[in-house]
Amino acid sequence: WSLRVTAYAQRLLDSLEDLGWTDSLKEMQKNWIGRSEGATVYFPIKDSEDRMEIFTTRPDTIYGVTFMVLAPESELIDQVTTPEQKAEVDAYLDKAKRKTERERMQDKTISGVFTGGYCKHPFSNEDIPIWIGDYVLGSYGTGAIMAVPAHDERDWAFAKHFNIPIVEVVAGGNVQEESYDAKSGKLVNSELINGLDVK
């Protein structure tokens, strides 16, 4: 038997409301179904005609992107890795391939490698460094993420570990001490959406 959860995700979620289950059990089922609402964003790869496609549930934080992360399985790795970084990238990929996806999800060790490549921020046109990290899974979304360390716990830990800048774009926390993951607040440092509420 094979159940294509993605094809029936909304139907499954809608049907949960009619069940006489506890709220906690319904929440577990929602998490298992795993349907996410968000946006697809394209980041042009520097000195290339190609672009990185990412899916994000937080497009409101786009001005807080300070790096990109590819899953070790990503087909873009060969394209964005510079000759100077190739040996280091190859060594990292060899190590990452020895772990299962489940092991990677459970392992809290921070690991990654810089590819030497950059993409362009779609609004500010700034160069954004492209990293590889095994906390990004090839099976989720596009296997690439826009990292917003100020407002995502895993991105924050990665940025702190590798000394990557952290830019606050949702006011309310002390992002130098920990990520501020709240989905409410005023947008700051965000050019054309400054001052708007996250919602």
Side-chain angles (χ1 to χ4, degrees), residues 20 27 50 68 128 143 150:
E27 191 60 32
D50 292 324
M68 308 295 282
I128 308 287

Side-chain angles (χ1 to χ4, degrees), residues 141-152:
T142 63
I145 65 161
M146 61 176 217
V148 183
H151 306 290
D152 181 275

Side-chain angles (χ1 to χ4, degrees), residues 19-34:
L19 295 176
W21 295 357
T22 63
D23 287 342
S24 61
L25 191 55
K26 286 182 184 181
E27 191 60 32
M28 281 173 51
Q29 284 298 299
K30 286 177 185 175
N31 292 337
W32 179 80
I33 293 165

Side-chain angles (χ1 to χ4, degrees), residues 114-148:
F114 177 47
T115 64
Y118 292 85
C119 62
K120 292 284 191 180
H121 192 286
F123 298 121
S124 69
N125 208 35
E126 288 177 32
D127 289 349
I128 308 287
I130 303 170
W131 287 71
I132 302 165
D134 65 5
Y135 76 99
V136 176
L137 304 174
S139 61
Y140 178 78
T142 63
I145 65 161
M146 61 176 217
V148 183

Side-chain angles (χ1 to χ4, degrees), residues 155-172:
D155 296 346
W156 186 89
F158 194 92
K160 276 292 184 185
H161 185 82
F162 290 107
N163 201 26
I164 301 170
I166 297 171
V167 176
E168 177 186 50
V169 289
V170 180

